[in-house]
Each structure stands twice: as C-alpha cells, then as structure tokens.
Amino acid sequence: MKRTGLTEGNVVKSLVFFALPLLGSSLIQQLYSTVDLVFVGQFLGTEASAAVGASSLIITCLVGFFTGMAVGTSVFTAQYFGAKQWDSLHRLIQTMFLVGIGGGLVLMLLGIGGAELFLTAMGTPRDIMPQAVLYLRVYMVGMVPVVLYNLLSGVIRALGDSRNPMIFQCVGGVLNIVGDYVCIAVFGMGVEGTAIATVVSQAVAACCAAACLIRLRTPYALRLTQPGLYTRELGHVLRVGVPAGIQSIVITFSNILIQSQINTLGVTSIAAFTVYFRTEMILYLPILAIGQAVVSFVGQNYGADKPERIRQGNRVCIGGGAVVVFAAGILLMLAAPVYLHIFTKDAAVIGQTVSIIRITFPLYFLYVILECLSGNLRGYGQAVAPMIVTIVSFCGFRIVFMMAAMALRPSVQSVAFSYPASWAMAVILMTVTMRYLKRRN
C-alpha cells in the first residue's frame, strides 16, 4: 500500500488526489445500492421496494455505533501516523481488528433476533412485513464483514491511502451486481436475493481490506498471529468513537421516526422515499467523502503540528465542496423526471419522488458545510460538540418541525421540508460552537 502523507505538498493537490478515490468509493457504493433497487423495483415490484426501504433504516441504525467507531479509529490512526508513533499505531490496528469481529457478531445476533420487533415499532405496514423481516434477517447475517470493513478501510484511508479502499469497493460492487442478477433474475429469489448478494460483496471487501493491512511492510502492519486488545488505544478511540457513534445513531433514529410518519401515508409514499433515499446518495456520499478527507487531513496535520495547513484545507473543502454540490443538486433536480424511471415503473411513485427532490436537492450544499465543520472538530479529537449539535438539530428540531408540518398538512412535502430546515439549524449551531471553542483554545 502506498502511504501518501497529507502533511506535505500543495494543500489543494493533496486534498483533491486524496478525496477523488473517496468520491470514487462513494459512487461505486451508490452504484451497487442503485442496482439493488433497480433489480427489486423492476423484478419484484413496489411492495418489495418498500420492504427493502423499511429495513434499510434499521440496518443503518444498528451499524451506527460502529460507524462512529470507524471515525474514532480514523482520527487516531491519522494522528499517530502524522506524529510517527508507530507502536501506538500498531496497537490501534490490532485492537480494532478484534473489535470489528466481536462487534459484528453482537449486531448479527441483535438484528436476527429483533428484526420483527424493530419493524413493528416503526409501524411497517402488514402487507410488506414478511418481506421486510426476511430481508433484514438475511442482511444481518453479514454484520461481521460489514463492521470489519468499515473499521479497516477507515484505517487505510487515515494512513493516506484512499485508492485501495476504492478498489475494494469496486470488486465488491461488481460481485454485488452479479449476485443480484444470479439470485433474482436467474434463481427467482425475492428480497432475500439482494440481501445475499450484498453480504457476499461485503465479505470479499472486508477480506481485501484485512489483506491490505497484513501486507504492509511497516512496524504497524496487521498481524493475525499477534492478537491483542490494548485498552489505552481502545480508550482513545472510544473517546471520539462513542460520541460519533451516538451522533450516527441519532441521525438514523430521527430518520426512523420520520419513516414512521411516512408509513402513515401509504405504500406509494414509502416507495417514493425509498427511491429518494437512493437517489440522494448521489449527493450525500460525495459529501461524506469530503468529510472523511477533512478528518484524515486535520488529524495528520494536527499530529504533525501544522495549524496553518489545516486552515487552508478547511477553506478548500468548505468553499469548493459547497459550490460543486449546489451545482450537482440543481442538475439532478432538473433531470429527476427522466432518470427516476430507472428505479420504478409506477408513475405515482415517480411524481412523489420528484416533489421531494425539488425541496431538498437545491439546499444540499448546507450539508457540505456541516460535514466539514464536524470533520474538522473530529480531526482534532473533539467529538462531543458535533454530537450535541446533531442531537439538537436532527433529533430535536427536525422531529418537532416535521410533526408540526404533518399536523398542518400530511404529505411527503411536509416530511421533505424537515431535512433542509434541520441542516440550516445545524450549520448555525456548529458555527457558533466552533467560534466558542476557538475563543477557549
């Protein structure tokens, strides 16, 4: 693996060349997620699409804690790498490998056993409940590779290598597409077919990530013959990972509450939001890539004690990212009536999805600002402030706004307006928080 440090050279060039593979990974992930929906929508119908959509939020919520752990892992990997603390870096990698295996097993048992309970609590309609339960249980069988890949790929990116995780995603994506075709089109499976394809693809990607770290010719390479759970390094990760994990869970929990309101609007609305959540990934995943780049960039330069370089990087990511996402959002909004036919043949579903997109996509640039500010704080090792802002904005303000809007007019538009409103609130609160922390330190 080529270790491309982010502490030297031109700031713009370093960020662009580091972020592009992250963007590639995001687009590949979106591609095979989109293919999943295309196969389900075209071969299995609207109810199957709604069942997958109802299950997806629960999966995201259950994985949320370890998504936060991946952030904490990336932060301290970058800081140790920037400061050249090789022993600490080795102990961190060994620890997170074991945490990935153990955490994945816990999630697998929780998801399989509680599938029906979780879906019932969300108010999932009875006519799609059997398919939703089946999809969720099959998907949860693959939680060990899902968690392990998130943690290990976070390590690899924080070391300055964003190219290899993109390659692993590409391999997994191809396998996922082939698996969808074989399971659904050839063997005639239902929603369990697309879940099986995803599990297999994630397992291969996780094996690739582990092999990449094992093959490193460095003192901090992963050693399967030297298992270890080091409390000092785990404690550092938990300090950032737990707040980041809570933040991820809170975001998903607010989405589950919103999904429960969507479920009251009927199967067509459920399917419309399922399609929307897949199409919005075209914007969201690149933003997530920018946020990941900020965390690694700030972490490495903080470890190397280069504050001016951090300030330059923030200006590049926030300004450039906001402009690009705003332009992309407008283009996707204008083209929506055309490309949505890829996902479904139902005209009513397409119409409702278009109305959602027109409300949210033009304002998605706000999320760039929020993600960059949050990533900046996490790169310094501060994750409590982003967590608090997220809880207040996404689980407090967003839910109150949505409930009020739904009380006035129950519709998909009322639900959609809650998203940009909460983004704006979060940006304001995060800006105030960062200025306060800057005055303190």
Side-chain angles (χ1 to χ4, degrees):
M1 180 178 66
K2 183 181 179 181
R3 293 176 287 111
T4 311
L6 300 173
T7 59
E8 298 177 356
N10 182 273
V11 171
V12 176
K13 184 178 179 180
S14 296
L15 280 167
V16 169
F17 278 93
F18 182 72
L20 280 177
L22 292 176
L23 177 58
S25 296
S26 298
L27 293 176
I28 292 167
Q29 182 178 346
Q30 170 60 15
L31 174 62
Y32 67 77
S33 295
T34 300
V35 170
D36 282 347
L37 186 59
V38 169
F39 271 97
V40 172
Q42 296 294 335
F43 285 87
L44 304 179
T46 299
E47 288 191 356
S49 295
V52 172
S55 303
S56 296
L57 282 175
I58 295 175
I59 293 169
T60 305
C61 188
L62 291 174
V63 178
F65 178 77
F66 290 97
T67 301
M69 290 292 287
V71 173
T73 303
S74 297
V75 167
F76 286 98
T77 297
Q79 289 188 9
Y80 292 152
F81 181 80
K84 296 181 172 58
Q85 297 178 6
W86 307 135
D87 288 342
S88 295
L89 183 53
H90 173 68
R91 290 193 294 268
L92 175 65
I93 293 173
Q94 296 294 132
T95 297
M96 298 321 294
F97 181 76
L98 290 182
V99 169
I101 295 174
L105 288 172
V106 171
L107 284 184
M108 181 182 71
L109 297 175
L110 182 63
I112 293 174
E116 189 168 357
L117 177 64
F118 298 144
L119 288 163
T120 301
M122 280 181 58
T124 305
R126 289 185 179 182
D127 50 350
I128 64 172
M129 178 66 80
Q131 292 187 80
V133 170
L134 178 60
Y135 177 83
L136 182 56
R137 284 178 172 162
V138 173
Y139 192 104
M140 296 306 293
V141 170
M143 278 299 100
V144 170
V146 168
V147 173
L148 200 58
Y149 176 77
N150 283 338
L151 294 176
L152 297 186
S153 65
V155 168
I156 295 170
R157 293 187 184 102
L159 293 175
D161 178 13
S162 55
R163 182 177 63 88
N164 275 316
M166 180 187 69
I167 295 173
F168 305 153
Q169 282 277 24
C170 187
V171 172
V174 171
L175 288 175
N176 190 77
I177 293 171
V178 173
D180 277 333
Y181 177 78
V182 172
C183 291
I184 297 177
V186 176
F187 292 122
M189 293 183 180
V191 292
E192 73 277 11
T194 189
I196 291 171
T198 302
V199 168
V200 172
S201 67
Q202 286 291 332
V204 172
C207 290
C208 290
C212 181
L213 290 173
I214 291 170
R215 295 180 62 187
L216 285 176
R217 297 182 178 180
T218 60
Y220 49 82
L222 176 63
R223 296 288 180 260
L224 299 182
T225 57
Q226 302 173 8
L229 193 67
Y230 299 94
T231 55
R232 175 177 174 271
E233 283 68 30
L234 180 59
H236 287 167
V237 171
L238 289 174
R239 194 180 77 203
V240 173
V242 170
I246 293 174
Q247 175 177 331
S248 178
I249 292 172
V250 164
I251 293 174
T252 308
F253 181 69
S254 69
N255 287 336
I256 288 176
L257 292 178
I258 291 174
Q259 184 68 45
S260 68
Q261 291 295 305
I262 295 170
N263 290 346
T264 66
L265 300 174
V267 173
T268 298
S269 296
I270 296 173
F273 268 98
T274 300
V275 172
Y276 166 73
F277 288 136
R278 294 301 174 96
T279 57
E280 76 158 351
M281 288 293 127
I282 301 172
L283 292 177
Y284 175 72
L285 290 176
I287 293 173
L288 192 62
I290 294 172
Q292 292 171 343
V294 170
V295 170
S296 297
F297 185 85
V298 171
Q300 283 197 20
N301 284 283
Y302 177 64
D305 193 22
K306 296 185 177 182
E308 179 56 34
R309 188 173 175 86
I310 292 174
R311 286 191 285 270
Q312 294 176 17
N314 283 328
R315 288 194 292 267
V316 170
C317 290
I318 293 174
V323 170
V324 170
V325 168
F326 175 75
I330 296 299
L331 289 174
L332 288 169
M333 179 189 69
L334 295 175
V338 177
Y339 65 76
L340 289 178
H341 286 278
I342 298 173
F343 300 98
T344 180
K345 301 174 182 178
D346 193 320
V349 172
I350 292 173
Q352 289 197 21
T353 307
V354 169
S355 67
I356 299 167
I357 287 174
R358 287 173 178 169
I359 293 169
T360 59
F361 277 21
L363 297 173
Y364 230 112
F365 71 93
L366 293 170
Y367 210 100
V368 178
I369 301 172
L370 175 61
E371 193 67 24
C372 288
L373 296 179
S374 299
N376 186 66
L377 287 176
R378 293 192 196 104
Y380 280 112
Q382 299 184 29
V384 175
M387 178 193 71
I388 294 173
V389 169
T390 300
I391 291 175
V392 172
S393 302
F394 289 6
C395 198
F397 179 78
R398 177 183 291 178
I399 300 302
V400 171
F401 185 99
M402 180 198 63
M403 293 296 187
M406 286 289 284
L408 292 173
R409 184 192 173 196
S411 65
V412 292
Q413 292 86 353
S414 295
V415 175
F417 273 116
S418 67
Y419 286 95
S422 62
W423 301 337
M425 175 61 71
V427 169
I428 293 170
L429 293 178
M430 190 68 74
T431 302
V432 172
T433 300
M434 290 196 68
R435 288 182 177 178
Y436 171 74
L437 291 174
K438 184 177 180 180
R439 286 196 297 270
R440 285 188 58 189
N441 184 13

